[in-house]
Amino acid sequence: MDLIDRITNAKLSRRSFILASAAATAGLSLTGCGSSLTQATADQAAGKEGKWLTAACWHNCGGRCLNKAYVVDGVVIRQKTDDTHPDSPDYPQQRACVRGRSQRQQVFGADRLKYPMKRKNWEPGGGKKELRGRDEWVRISWDEALDSIAGEIKRIKSEQGNRAFFADGGPAAKVLALYGGYVANWGTTSLGSWTYTPGPVGFSGSSGDSINDRLDMRNCDTVIMFNMNPAWSSAGNPVYHFLQVKKAGADFIAIDPFYNDSYGLLEADWIPTRPATDTALMIGVAHTLIVEDDPVKNPLIDWDFLKKYTIGFDADSMPPGTDAKDNFKDYVLGTYNGVPKNAEWASEISGVAPDRIRYLARAMNKNKKVALLYAWSAGRTQNADNLPQMAMILGAMTGHMGKSGHMCGVSCHSGAANGGDTLVSPGKNGLPNVDNPVKDSINHTEMWRAIVAGKYNFTGNKKFLKGEMKDIDIRLIYHDNNARLQSADGMTKGIEAHRQVDLVVSHGQFLTTNAKYSDFVLPVTTEWEKIGGFLTGNREMLIMYSQITEPLYEAQSDEWIARELAKRLGVDASKAFPIDAKQQFFNQIAGSTVVLADGKTVAPLVTITEEDIAQWGAQGKPQQGQISLKEFQEKGLYQIERKPDDNYGYIAFQDFCEDPEAHPRSSASGKFEFYSQVLADTVNGMGYSKIKPIPTHIPPVEGYEATFKDWQTKAKGDYPYQVINPHYLRRSHTVFDNVQWLRETWPNPVYISTQDAKEKGLADGDTVLLTSQHGKTLRTACLTDRFMPGVIGLPHGSWVDMDEKTGIDTGGADNILCGPVSTGQGVSGWNSCICSMEKFTGAALIADVQKPQRIIL
């Protein structure tokens, strides 16, 4: 009996999700099952015997927590989170957030793509391309879909060659690589300028090795947080860890345009600052440190640290062959250009009052135990290539590196509030790498523009090579493993690009933005429908999840699709996928490792017996580990128990500070470089924009200065507001945006300061039109004093919902406002965006939860 029959016979609909405490009747439709509507009650469900299984919560937030599903006949009745051990600050449970707890609405959603679909007006060569995004859909068979796609791929190759294929790099892209190659794409994505800059200057862009571990952070006197909000972006334990730091006595200071939930919870002293001005603000802080420091009466600067571990601070520490006048200190003091970069100078740009800038500098006093913590968000701005270097400089000037209670680095994503090497890791799946013979790779900030214009600047695939203009003629866009159209810069230009090529194919679980603007949509399984896998989050744990349900409708895995496509293209798929999914999973289990209690020894994690190997029907050898395979599967979690003074503690940069000769940094000098010629030469050679070897404030193309038509008179221009895109609890990036529970709970407004709203005559609940140089979008206003005036908060990741008649997006998609602007190292500058704002005169928006779901039968 198949799953659909079981659901019907059990009087449970696919959309019937009953909370553990529910007592009311849940009557929901069974979409696509060909049966009459049924009713199900909590009592009926409770009478069925089921089993708790570890379910994947696989989306790219900073948490990746433990998610348990109670399964009755393949249907998830309830969910819960970590109860594998008692909760404590030292040994915390891995608790799921609202996104993970709504996962069943995603997997069993009525809007799941059920069958392969073809755009009605598609024909070989594209057909009516302009109808992509608004055409009707026609159900087809897998054979028809794959035959048609393979036929077009063959035609395009014969006419244009492999450089006409554009793909993302998933399983299907591996087949294209075996077929002769494809044009790839690359970007700085979440990290922004933290992608490349840290390496040449000797710093780090990762939480793993730039901050101390969570237990040591409790030794801090002051924690200074730059643009962080783990309560939303890294739901799970990070904020809980920060609470322990607060309970231990630390004060918190927050530098951000948005006084967010994390700061509120920690009672942080808020210093509002404008987006994309952090480098200028920090330079102003450095000026205060320099002019106010007195080694005896007011010791702010750690001069011993500067002399021993850095180069380029002053004329005496400049690297050989450089002009001594180009040092950082003289630039800050304005020694040679007559412009001191003091608190007043920084205030005009950043919006932070001069006395607050001086207060911030004094709070970094070298004799206090201070944590300088940075999120990646400020690096997701145009012309921010020196920002990580400047962040490092503040830590080096005050000596807050390499010792207990002192730290300076990235605290973001899964490593927020907890630095250090990973202690528990999965093994490799055993699949080989597949070389892509085509070396073209287009940066995200220009890929849509390149497809439309036929030219792009080649700098390698995250190789940061010297720029080289190349012609390109893309005829196929193949999306097989991400939300590239929705989540990359310049979505308006992206839609234009998708309507230009001959063929667009998307794998998907829903009618996402990628799928909506495609010719063929291929339904793929979720992680709940696969044999199982691993999730890595914070350094102390590893989650092993199991299959929860059989594949729904006609959904297939990405790998199955790739294999079938390979057959039709005459490609040997075994070169990419020599083993099946079960063997891949088993390889990961067998290869899993854990660091033992001595903090040094790396040992196998899982005990595997001959019986296990026989039961799995896999290839492998018995081994002795720390947990049996059966227990690991049942618990779904292996977590190392922490306690003060254990051997798992981590102090960032300690090895370098203790012996810089034996443990040099990654820079050319082996030290922290205030002056980095390698950084400047590399970024400048790429050809997007110019920087100097020392940090300077470079106004973003669409930053604060660009909101004025005349900077000197401060006359505002056509786009007077800055827009930032906070991560939002309704989504993990773009994933979950279609989940009705989350839509109802988190309505996705646009956040507007009460001062700006008053000036524009806006009230709570008004429909607001936001207009940039690149597009227009509508959102409902939420007035607040938690955003500084002049800054608008448009949450990241909402799915575009374009009104084709007006050209206005009604979905609140942030990347409709962001343009394809290329600067520096190819940074996606989402938080450097400017717009106008006005009350919309058309029909008011309805709530997202009231919109019809994107259901294709």
Side-chain angles (χ1 to χ4, degrees):
M1 184 183 296
D2 65 19
L3 176 63
I4 304 304
D5 289 337
R6 289 205 301 270
I7 295 171
T8 303
N9 293 343
K11 295 187 179 292
L12 287 171
S13 77
R14 178 174 282 125
R15 295 178 61 204
S16 187
F17 307 108
I18 305 169
L19 290 169
S21 61
T25 297
L28 297 168
S29 63
L30 180 65
T31 305
C33 292
S35 62
S36 61
L37 298 183
T38 62
Q39 298 288 320
T41 69
D43 289 339
Q44 287 174 322
K48 294 274 187 177
E49 184 177 351
K51 183 178 182 180
W52 285 105
L53 298 174
T54 300
C57 189
W58 65 93
H59 306 293
N60 191 27
C61 74
R64 297 188 181 89
C65 308
L66 189 64
N67 196 349
K68 292 280 191 175
Y70 190 69
V71 184
V72 178
D73 284 343
V75 181
V76 175
I77 304 302
R78 297 191 295 274
Q79 283 184 242
K80 67 177 181 179
T81 188
D82 188 6
D83 57 5
T84 58
H85 62 266
D87 190 46
S88 70
D90 290 350
Y91 190 38
Q93 294 174 345
Q94 306 299 315
R95 294 176 177 171
C97 75
V98 293
R99 293 177 291 226
R101 294 168 187 262
S102 68
Q103 190 86 66
R104 51 186 156 155
Q105 275 235 350
Q106 184 187 39
V107 175
F108 297 102
D111 55 347
R112 277 288 299 270
L113 291 175
K114 302 170 181 64
Y115 320 105
M117 309 296 291
K118 179 180 71 173
R119 187 170 62 82
K120 182 178 180 179
N121 286 283
W122 177 83
E123 297 175 0
K128 296 180 180 179
K129 302 176 183 180
E130 71 279 5
L131 293 181
R132 289 180 183 133
R134 55 177 180 261
D135 209 345
E136 296 179 42
W137 294 99
V138 178
R139 177 182 173 181
I140 57 176
S141 68
W142 273 108
D143 282 338
E144 182 181 351
L146 293 167
D147 289 346
S148 298
I149 293 167
E152 277 294 90
I153 290 174
K154 292 176 180 178
R155 179 189 66 80
I156 292 170
K157 177 171 182 172
S158 67
E159 295 177 2
Q160 300 293 328
N162 284 80
R163 291 182 75 241
F165 301 148
F166 181 87
D168 288 329
K174 288 186 176 182
V175 171
L176 290 177
L178 294 172
Y179 190 59
Y182 62 93
V183 175
N185 59 87
W186 72 277
T188 61
T189 54
S190 293
L191 277 71
S193 59
W194 291 92
T195 303
Y196 175 72
T197 299
V201 304
F203 199 33
S204 171
S206 165
S207 303
D209 59 0
S210 68
I211 63 170
N212 303 358
D213 76 286
R214 61 186 177 88
L215 298 189
D216 184 76
M217 196 177 292
R218 299 175 193 173
N219 297 321
C220 294
D221 300 319
T222 304
V223 178
I224 302 176
M225 306 170 74
F226 288 82
N227 305 288
M228 297 174 62
N229 188 10
W232 283 11
S233 62
S234 300
N237 283 330
V239 173
Y240 185 58
H241 298 330
F242 280 126
L243 276 174
Q244 311 316 312
V245 179
K246 180 176 176 60
K247 289 178 181 179
D251 296 320
F252 284 79
I253 300 173
I255 298 94
D256 202 301
F258 172 31
Y259 187 74
N260 58 53
D261 290 3
S262 299
Y263 305 148
L265 182 68
L266 299 169
E267 299 178 315
D269 183 3
W270 182 33
I271 300 177
T273 186
R274 296 183 181 114
T277 65
D278 297 82
T279 302
L281 171 65
M282 289 189 281
I283 290 172
V285 169
H287 184 278
T288 298
L289 291 172
I290 293 170
V291 300
E292 290 193 2
D293 174 76
D294 185 309
V296 177
K297 297 180 179 179
N298 190 30
L300 297 177
I301 295 177
D302 190 329
W303 293 101
D304 290 338
F305 192 99
L306 289 179
K307 292 175 183 177
K308 189 173 183 180
Y309 304 119
T310 74
I311 64 168
F313 171 70
D314 55 20
D316 294 335
S317 63
M318 288 290 282
T322 59
D323 188 339
K325 294 180 179 180
D326 291 337
N327 70 83
F328 176 75
K329 179 182 177 182
D330 282 323
Y331 165 75
V332 172
L333 295 177
T335 303
Y336 300 108
N337 66 4
V339 182
K341 313 307 182 295
N342 55 25
E344 285 73 20
W345 171 87
S347 178
E348 182 182 23
I349 299 167
S350 68
V352 180
D355 64 326
R356 294 290 276 169
I357 294 175
R358 296 186 181 99
Y359 155 76
L360 183 57
R362 295 162 190 159
M364 298 179 188
N365 185 321
K366 81 177 187 73
N367 289 330
K368 295 177 66 177
K369 292 184 177 181
V370 178
L372 301 175
L373 305 182
Y374 304 92
W376 292 321
S377 54
R380 296 193 288 267
T381 57
Q382 300 153 8
N383 302 107
D385 300 276
N386 287 126
L387 182 140
Q389 183 184 22
M390 189 62 232
M392 175 195 72
I393 285 173
L394 290 184
M397 288 181 68
T398 52
H400 296 311
M401 291 180 173
K403 50 192 174 183
S404 176
H406 302 254
M407 64 198 79
C408 172
V410 171
S411 176
C412 201
H413 206 245
S414 59
N418 193 15
D421 298 332
T422 299
L423 301 175
V424 198
S425 303
K428 296 182 178 180
N429 61 18
L431 293 180
N433 292 324
V434 178
D435 182 62
N436 180 11
V438 174
K439 300 309 175 186
D440 291 87
S441 189
I442 310 177
N443 178 253
H444 289 170
T445 63
E446 63 171 330
M447 62 184 175
W448 306 137
R449 190 172 70 239
I451 291 173
V452 172
K455 292 181 180 294
Y456 84 102
N457 181 35
F458 174 75
T459 60
N461 193 333
K462 258 186 191 176
K463 299 296 184 183
F464 309 100
L465 305 175
K466 184 176 181 179
E468 176 188 356
M469 290 303 298
K470 289 188 175 184
D471 292 330
I472 201 75
D473 186 5
I474 299 298
R475 300 298 182 90
L476 162 68
I477 297 175
Y478 202 118
H479 297 292
D480 68 341
N481 73 340
N482 58 50
R484 188 66 68 217
L485 176 57
Q486 177 72 53
S487 61
D489 315 65
M491 199 189 310
T492 304
K493 183 63 70 173
I495 292 172
E496 181 182 353
H498 278 67
R499 286 174 170 166
Q500 177 172 302
V501 299
D502 292 354
L503 177 65
V504 184
V505 180
S506 286
H507 298 192
Q509 294 155 4
F510 310 97
L511 193 65
T512 61
T513 304
N514 279 1
K516 186 175 181 180
Y517 289 91
S518 294
D519 298 310
F520 290 87
V521 179
L522 307 180
V524 294
T525 50
T526 67
E527 294 301 308
W528 281 23
E529 298 154 78
K530 297 179 183 178
I531 189 170
F534 286 92
L535 298 173
T536 56
N538 69 73
R539 65 189 292 249
E540 297 160 11
M541 65 88 176
L542 180 64
I543 292 172
M544 176 181 175
Y545 59 87
S546 300
Q547 183 172 359
I548 301 302
T549 188
E550 297 170 14
L552 300 182
Y553 304 104
E554 294 184 10
Q556 298 286 354
S557 71
D558 294 285
E559 189 174 311
W560 181 90
I561 296 171
R563 290 174 182 272
E564 290 297 315
L565 190 61
K567 293 177 185 177
R568 290 161 172 81
L569 295 176
V571 169
D572 183 2
S574 67
K575 293 181 179 179
F577 314 106
I579 54 178
D580 63 17
K582 180 180 287 188
Q583 185 66 52
Q584 293 173 37
F585 187 22
F586 187 84
N587 290 345
Q588 288 185 289
I589 296 169
S592 297
T593 59
V594 61
V595 177
L596 300 183
D598 62 3
K600 299 177 181 179
T601 305
V602 179
L605 173 63
V606 184
T607 295
I608 298 176
T609 66
E610 291 282 9
E611 291 77 13
D612 293 328
I613 295 170
Q615 183 179 354
W616 276 69
Q619 298 293 316
K621 297 179 180 179
Q623 64 183 38
Q624 184 64 41
Q626 309 304 305
I627 186 172
S628 71
L629 176 52
K630 182 180 179 181
E631 183 184 358
F632 196 12
Q633 272 192 295
E634 290 178 350
K635 290 182 66 175
L637 173 70
Y638 186 90
Q639 181 177 346
I640 289 178
E641 184 172 0
R642 294 294 312 278
K643 56 186 177 182
D645 301 320
D646 62 19
N647 293 313
Y648 296 117
Y650 181 79
I651 307 297
F653 308 115
Q654 184 177 35
D655 55 354
F656 168 68
C657 292
E658 290 179 348
D659 192 343
E661 296 296 327
H663 302 281
R665 299 303 303 160
S666 54
S667 61
S669 67
K671 296 184 177 183
F672 296 123
E673 295 194 357
F674 289 35
Y675 181 102
S676 174
Q677 194 65 53
V678 172
L679 174 65
D681 289 347
T682 302
V683 171
N684 295 341
M686 291 178 68
Y688 291 130
S689 61
K690 300 291 185 181
I691 66 169
K692 293 184 177 180
I694 60 172
T696 64
H697 170 65
I698 304 172
V701 176
E702 297 183 11
Y704 175 63
E705 289 90 338
T707 65
F708 298 92
K709 61 183 177 183
D710 188 322
W711 172 251
Q712 298 302 321
T713 64
K714 296 300 185 287
K716 280 292 187 180
D718 294 334
Y719 305 104
Y721 300 99
Q722 291 184 272
V723 184
I724 62 172
N725 308 128
H727 287 265
Y728 192 52
L729 269 175
R730 174 163 132 185
R731 296 178 291 270
S732 176
H733 297 288
T734 67
V735 179
F736 292 112
D737 194 49
N738 57 319
V739 173
Q740 294 295 84
W741 283 355
L742 295 174
R743 286 192 160 212
E744 182 177 5
T745 307
W746 297 87
N748 200 80
V750 57
Y751 295 103
I752 304 168
S753 80
T754 53
Q755 178 179 318
D756 290 338
K758 183 177 181 180
E759 292 174 357
K760 298 295 293 185
L762 296 171
D764 259 321
D766 283 348
T767 299
V768 177
L769 175 64
L770 305 176
T771 304
S772 77
Q773 301 171 63
H774 313 288
K776 299 180 179 182
T777 192
L778 296 176
R779 277 293 87 189
T780 300
C782 177
L783 278 50
T784 177
D785 288 322
R786 297 206 292 164
F787 273 81
M788 68 182 297
V791 180
I792 292 169
L794 184 63
H796 164 57
S798 183
W799 292 4
V800 69
D801 192 2
M802 190 67 70
D803 183 333
E804 295 289 347
K805 293 181 180 179
T806 64
I808 299 174
D809 165 46
T810 64
D814 49 338
N815 286 337
I816 282 291
L817 297 182
C818 298
V821 179
S822 304
T823 65
Q825 61 199 254
V827 167
S828 290
W830 293 300
N831 288 319
S832 42
C833 175
I834 57 177
C835 76
S836 63
M837 171 178 64
E838 59 187 304
K839 185 174 181 179
F840 186 56
T841 57
L845 278 182
I846 63 171
D848 290 347
V849 73
Q850 296 174 358
K851 289 183 177 181
Q853 291 181 276
R854 298 180 182 180
I855 298 174
I856 306 176
L857 298 178

